[in-house]
Amino acid sequence: MSNNRMETSGIPTVIKDRDIPPLWFVAPEGFHALPVDAGPDTRLSAADEFTRGLFPEGDAHLWQSAAPFYAGLTEVFADAGLAYSAMGVFSDDKGGVVHFSFTVGAIESPYATPDEAAGAIGQSLSRDPGNDSRRIALPCGPAVSNISVREVTVGAELTATGEEAKLLTGQIQVFVPFPTAPFVAVFTLDTAAMEYWGEICDMTAAVLETVSFEAPSDDSHGEVPVGER
């Protein structure tokens, strides 16, 4: 897969949630944000619009059949407290599609400083031998990355062959403490596109380099607000 298909758009996405302070990051153009801030009355129409953007070459039958699924998914993510959720869809060099999910949420932190929070999170994650947990330094401050690769079983009712199958999946989760608030931002990427794991890791690292807890100073007019509810 060509790296330029995962280049960032350059337009900051701002997450505004009444329960946590705002944060910003720049996502690749192939990210399609689910309308997690849509209310019950507008969720289906918002999901329909999302589906048309996700499958621009689809037809009315595809859009109408897929919209209820994404409306339900949006409701689940919103109820889980996620401030941002997106589907990443990129074409590969074989005419196929690379697909993954990307979410952003926040958890309350009992620690006084970002360093204390990062230290405690890293220590907790390192207890699981299946985790590759590391302390990292981002432009916005200290963080902890946690990478895990798991094999999951896909039921026979969901496979094309009608037989149970094993699927290798990868998860990248990064915990970024807010600098002056008792919260930790949690960025999570999940994918089964393990053939492109290296490119996906590089893309995630590039996104994390853009995370900021302060409004961009150059051009705020291009911001894409999400998660405001």
Side-chain angles (χ1 to χ4, degrees):
M1 179 170 51
S2 301
N3 286 334
N4 58 9
R5 291 174 185 165
M6 286 193 175
E7 288 180 351
T8 58
S9 65
I11 300 175
T13 293
V14 56
I15 294 181
K16 293 182 179 180
D17 189 296
R18 64 187 180 188
D19 297 323
I20 61 174
L23 64 88
W24 288 258
F25 64 93
V26 180
E29 293 180 349
F31 275 29
H32 299 267
L34 283 161
V36 293
D37 56 338
D41 296 336
T42 60
R43 187 168 290 138
L44 186 56
S45 60
D48 180 71
E49 182 179 351
F50 166 82
T51 303
R52 291 171 184 267
L54 186 63
F55 305 108
E57 298 180 3
D59 55 24
H61 175 72
L62 173 62
W63 296 329
Q64 291 171 6
S65 60
F69 167 77
Y70 287 109
L73 192 63
T74 297
E75 183 177 7
V76 170
F77 286 161
D79 290 346
L82 293 175
Y84 175 84
S85 177
M87 298 294 174
V89 181
F90 298 87
S91 59
D92 63 18
D93 296 323
K94 302 175 183 177
V97 173
V98 180
H99 183 274
F100 52 82
S101 67
F102 184 86
T103 63
V104 182
I107 56 176
E108 291 191 39
S109 169
Y111 301 100
T113 67
D115 281 325
E116 288 181 15
I121 292 169
Q123 185 177 22
S124 176
L125 292 171
S126 64
R127 294 172 185 157
D128 185 341
N131 291 336
D132 179 4
S133 180
R134 303 181 185 185
R135 175 81 173 262
I136 60 176
L138 297 176
C140 64
V144 177
S145 70
N146 189 66
I147 294 176
S148 59
V149 176
R150 315 280 185 186
E151 185 179 72
V152 298
T153 301
V154 180
E157 68 279 5
L158 299 176
T159 67
T161 62
E163 298 179 355
E164 191 176 89
K166 300 293 185 181
L167 183 66
L168 197 63
T169 65
Q171 182 184 85
I172 304 169
Q173 199 162 52
V174 181
F175 300 82
V176 188
F178 281 71
T180 58
F183 292 97
V184 175
V186 184
F187 295 79
T188 305
L189 183 144
D190 289 286
T191 187
M194 299 306 291
E195 182 179 356
Y196 298 99
W197 181 243
E199 291 93 332
I200 289 173
C201 287
D202 291 343
M203 178 211 64
T204 305
V207 172
L208 290 167
E209 287 290 319
T210 70
V211 175
S212 175
F213 297 104
E214 299 181 358
S217 58
D218 49 355
D219 181 13
S220 61
H221 298 291
E223 293 178 2
V224 180
V226 297
E228 192 168 8
R229 60 179 186 269

